[in-house]
Amino acid sequence: MKPEFIEKAYEIARERYAAIGVDTDAAMEQLRGVAISLHCWQADDVAGFENRGGSLTGGIQTTGNYPGRARNVEEVRADIAEALRYIPGSHRLNLHEIYGEFGDERIDRDQVEPRHFAGWIAWAKEHGLKLDFNSTSFSHPKSGDLSLANPDPAIREFWIEHTRRCRAVAEEMGRAQGDPSIMNVWVHDGSKDITVNRMYYRELLMDSLDRIFEKEYEHMKDCVESKVFGIGLESYTVGSNDFYIGYGTSRGKIITLDTGHFHPTESVADKLSSLLLYTPEVMLHVSRPVRWDSDHVTILNDETLDLMKEIVRCDALERVHIGLDYFDASINRIGAYVVGTRAAQKSLMQALLEPLAQLRRYEAEGRYFERLALLEEAKSLPWNAVWDMFCLRAGVPVGEEFIAGVQRYEREVTSKRG
Ligand code: RNT
Ligand code: ZN
């Protein structure tokens, strides 16, 4: 696309938006300030580097067998660096504990140390990325159906120790990058069939979490993620939404909202304004559930748009952290990163271009026809000209141009992987 065309289209869009009181330059400036936390696990179908040869457990699943999956730390890094070439702005990378560099040592999950992430910390610094972190309860011989809520003291202690150590890793990341690392705790604990001791496992989970969070840290922040159900764990989830709303609000912890972890017609966007009244911050896992928590690639759809609009309408860009969480093994994985991240950014771009002042005036005056009409018209305002300009200024491909870049990398790199 010729830069002159993009500039011309932008000039027109700027005037069009100015007429309804929206400053497009300010919107771009705001978007530039928003880092999206890219999840490292799209690169290799949530495999990690423990090389135990085990499969993905914990009620989550990747489907598809697209060639070119990253097989080691070098390949994960190269693929993420490649994806970032097509994504405007500076971002974060969200690691899971199983992506530590353990070398030839046999380091079990209750032995992980910050040194296993020294390579990541150095690499992230070189690439201008900040790191976030996750403990990993799944894909391990001790995962079973219950980890932090396990009645067996030995297994529960193992996972408590793991999660405590993960917080120490996150602390080190945060210290090294001069910005808190956000550490997410999601455990798969649940059961397949009718459960009679529901309260008991929740008591255990509450106690485990309290013990995990005993130590105060300065350079990391904790967040807790709920879920409706997992595969093979359909009837009961220990860490349900109600559990974590109670836990997070009573303990002052950040709550993670994964857009795939609610009932299909439930609005995740609508949760923000309630949660933000009671919790310090919110972490998002933006995903795309198709019929269930399928973790399809995030796209620009009504759900993503509503979520981003709600962040802006709540004036909460500083308090809501946007992370991605999907894993599609059926398509080019680098392309999956680019499409998903750009979709989140495009949605946020539209949210930042909303004629909010005028909409609020209409609402306050009870002029609901006018509010509805302006909301409808705003949908077809030339937001894409502003988005194109944003990409041009950031030095990344405009529009569909990135497809060719991803194809080239596939030809030269990922298709050659065995
Ligand atoms: C699972 C949760 C969780 C995971 C990652 C891998 O349903 O969404 O966030 O996707 O921890
Ligand atoms: Zn998630």
Side-chain angles (χ1 to χ4, degrees):
M1 181 70 69
K2 283 192 192 149
E4 306 94 81
F5 290 170
I6 293 158
E7 271 150 29
K8 242 191 234 167
Y10 177 69
E11 284 314 309
I12 296 165
R14 183 162 65 182
E15 292 306 310
R16 189 76 178 79
Y17 275 106
I20 52 162
V22 175
D23 179 341
T24 52
D25 288 304
M28 282 195 282
E29 196 50 44
Q30 274 187 295
L31 185 60
R32 214 186 326 278
V34 178
I36 309 277
S37 193
L38 271 73
H39 53 312
C40 74
W41 50 93
Q42 164 65 54
D44 72 336
D45 311 339
V46 210
F49 310 135
E50 283 179 331
N51 296 324
R52 287 171 200 278
S55 53
L56 181 60
T57 71
I60 53 177
Q61 205 173 53
T62 54
T63 54
N65 206 4
Y66 197 83
R69 172 177 95 72
R71 296 160 301 177
N72 50 49
V73 68
E74 287 76 26
E75 291 180 353
V76 169
R77 285 178 189 158
D79 291 359
I80 289 168
E82 178 67 14
L84 289 169
R85 294 194 177 97
Y86 310 106
I87 298 168
S90 23
H91 299 285
R92 305 176 71 92
L93 180 65
N94 196 8
L95 294 175
H96 242 284
E97 189 271 350
I98 48 174
Y99 291 78
E101 291 180 89
F102 307 113
D104 296 330
E105 279 177 282
R106 171 121 191 133
I107 302 293
D108 208 347
R109 302 257 176 106
D110 63 342
Q111 297 167 324
V112 63
E113 290 176 43
R115 69 186 168 96
H116 301 121
F117 290 86
W120 275 114
I121 291 171
W123 181 84
K125 191 170 180 195
E126 255 170 59
H127 288 76
L129 289 165
K130 305 248 163 75
L131 296 173
D132 294 318
F133 200 50
N134 296 258
S135 52
T136 313
S137 70
F138 50 83
S139 306
H140 184 277
K142 290 197 171 82
S143 295
D145 289 350
L146 296 168
S147 62
L148 289 177
N150 203 307
D152 179 337
I155 293 184
R156 190 159 78 98
E157 289 306 317
F158 176 87
W159 291 112
I160 289 174
E161 182 60 21
H162 166 73
T163 319
R164 281 183 171 158
R165 281 169 176 259
C166 285
R167 292 182 77 230
V169 173
E171 172 70 7
E172 181 50 32
M173 289 173 170
R175 204 194 49 73
Q177 67 201 16
D179 187 67
S181 172
I182 302 188
M183 189 186 126
N184 187 50
V185 176
W186 168 72
V187 293
H188 58 278
D189 296 38
S191 65
K192 183 181 173 78
D193 217 332
I194 301 162
T195 306
V196 295
N197 282 326
R198 301 172 88 94
M199 179 100 167
Y200 175 51
Y201 308 112
R202 291 194 169 128
E203 279 166 358
L204 289 174
L205 180 56
M206 182 178 77
D207 178 72
S208 296
L209 292 170
D210 281 345
R211 291 180 48 207
I212 287 162
F213 296 140
E214 260 161 19
K215 189 159 178 170
E216 303 263 340
Y217 285 115
E218 249 182 274
H219 306 286
M220 60 88 64
K221 293 178 181 177
D222 299 296
C223 50
V224 288
E225 180 183 7
S226 70
K227 182 155 176 162
V228 176
F229 77 96
I231 300 168
L233 305 166
E234 291 88 354
S235 298
Y236 169 66
T237 301
V238 186
S240 60
N241 181 48
D242 311 72
F243 176 90
Y244 280 121
I245 298 283
Y247 193 85
T249 54
S250 60
R251 308 313 199 256
K253 295 293 178 191
I254 301 176
I255 288 173
T256 301
L257 298 175
D258 183 310
T259 56
H261 290 192
F262 296 89
H263 295 285
T265 58
E266 212 172 331
S267 162
V268 179
D270 184 47
K271 298 176 188 302
L272 288 181
S273 52
S274 297
L275 273 186
L276 287 168
L277 291 177
Y278 301 103
T279 60
E281 292 161 59
V282 167
M283 175 78 208
L284 296 176
H285 277 186
V286 188
S287 182
R288 176 166 50 110
V290 176
R291 303 190 188 280
W292 68 291
D293 179 26
S294 62
D295 291 294
H296 279 66
V297 178
T298 299
I299 57 171
L300 199 174
N301 57 11
D302 286 348
E303 288 75 17
T304 315
L305 267 172
D306 284 348
L307 189 61
M308 299 305 166
K309 283 183 184 165
E310 201 50 38
I311 300 174
V312 175
R313 291 174 186 173
C314 289
D315 196 16
L317 275 171
E318 302 291 321
R319 292 174 64 201
V320 178
H321 307 278
I322 306 172
L324 302 174
D325 183 12
Y326 51 80
F327 22 97
D328 187 339
S330 75
I331 59 172
N332 181 301
R333 295 170 183 80
I334 288 98
Y337 274 122
V338 183
V339 169
T341 315
R342 285 174 67 121
Q345 290 182 294
K346 283 192 230 173
S347 303
L348 192 52
M349 178 94 266
Q350 288 192 54
L352 291 164
L353 290 169
E354 206 173 44
L356 200 50
Q358 182 62 47
L359 287 165
R360 285 196 171 127
R361 269 195 298 275
Y362 284 149
E363 187 165 297
E365 292 162 7
R367 294 174 178 272
Y368 299 143
F369 145 68
E370 289 84 346
R371 180 185 62 185
L372 184 64
L374 187 55
L375 281 168
E376 278 301 286
E377 288 306 311
K379 288 178 182 171
S380 50
L381 285 172
W383 65 270
N384 65 313
V386 186
W387 165 250
D388 285 351
M389 191 60 181
F390 183 73
C391 291
L392 184 73
R393 287 190 185 163
V396 304
V398 173
E400 71 287 354
E401 281 167 5
F402 73 87
I403 297 173
V406 173
Q407 285 174 331
R408 186 181 340 103
Y409 187 75
E410 174 165 54
R411 254 191 329 272
E412 292 168 6
V413 183
T414 52
S415 67
K416 301 201 166 127
R417 291 177 188 162

